[in-house]
Amino acid sequence: MRRRLLAVAALGGLGVLAARAWPSRAPAALPDLGAELCVSAPPFPYDPASGLAADAPRPVPSEARCPVCGMYPARAPRWAAQAHFDDGAALFFDSPLMLMLWLQSVPRYSPGRRADELHALWVQDHLSGEWLPAQAAHYVAGSGALGPMRNGNLPPFASATAAQAFARQRGGLVLGFEAARAPERLRALDTRSHRHAA
């Protein structure tokens, strides 16, 4: 029988937990932490010297981690999304799907933060890469377009016409923001094997 040990490593100021198998003869004093893999993804503070407004979309920092899945959004920039708080701090997500999963339980994924502190949500048009308000986007659910985690995803579009053309080509259903973030839809799209404990 094997036990799981989660070891903590510091990486660029971020706390990263990495799973490592430990033989059954491990000392009894070690706690059984289960098989959960958790990543701490602190928000990036607003930098007034950037020349951008506090609520404007920002370039995705290379060191940013998605608070839901732990991936680096900058590695698949066309899928990235971001959330800005009232204090100007921003979080970055590797896809619109991860942003919407995060919105279901902000304090769970970002301890000390609340949904009522949110000031702006941004996603990128799947065709042009231009940032657009997440609430104004048209999403295609259930298409053949897989995001950075090879996960079912929600590619966003600035226009309903573009989203419908994409759905005709790649399959899927065109939805507005509220319909796209329905919990049952997100559960169906989220095929990750790891999920944070509730």
Side-chain angles (χ1 to χ4, degrees):
M1 180 179 213
R2 297 174 72 83
R3 296 181 61 182
R4 303 290 268 172
L5 171 68
L6 295 180
V8 179
L11 177 63
L14 300 176
V16 179
L17 296 179
R20 178 174 177 238
W22 192 268
S24 60
R25 63 182 175 275
L30 289 175
D32 184 3
L33 299 174
E36 289 292 321
L37 174 67
C38 298
V39 174
S40 173
F44 285 74
Y46 170 62
D47 179 9
S50 69
L52 297 170
D55 61 348
R58 302 173 195 167
V60 179
S62 62
E63 68 274 19
R65 300 289 295 265
C66 176
V68 178
C69 68
M71 285 192 65
Y72 292 92
R75 292 183 181 170
R78 201 60 170 259
W79 282 97
Q82 51 188 281
H84 296 210
F85 293 96
D86 290 335
D87 66 0
L91 283 169
F92 300 88
F93 303 84
D94 70 303
S95 70
L97 175 60
M98 295 300 130
L99 169 66
M100 292 190 189
L101 288 168
W102 177 80
L103 287 170
Q104 287 185 326
S105 187
V106 172
R108 177 172 150 202
Y109 294 114
S110 299
R113 294 291 179 162
R114 301 185 322 267
D116 64 357
E117 298 173 319
L118 287 168
H119 187 71
L121 302 173
W122 298 97
V123 294
Q124 292 182 79
D125 180 86
H126 195 68
L127 299 176
S128 71
E130 295 293 319
W131 290 103
L132 61 140
Q135 298 89 333
H138 305 272
Y139 299 89
V140 178
S143 76
L146 300 180
M149 293 185 67
R150 310 312 299 157
N151 204 10
N153 233 301
L154 294 167
F157 297 85
S159 77
T161 303
Q164 289 161 355
F166 181 87
R168 281 192 299 275
Q169 276 189 329
R170 305 285 304 268
L173 178 66
V174 177
L175 303 168
F177 180 73
E178 291 302 325
R181 63 182 275 201
E184 62 279 0
R185 183 166 314 283
L186 296 179
R187 273 192 301 276
L189 290 171
D190 184 17
T191 58
R192 296 170 299 142
S193 61
H194 161 72
R195 289 181 175 78
H196 281 68

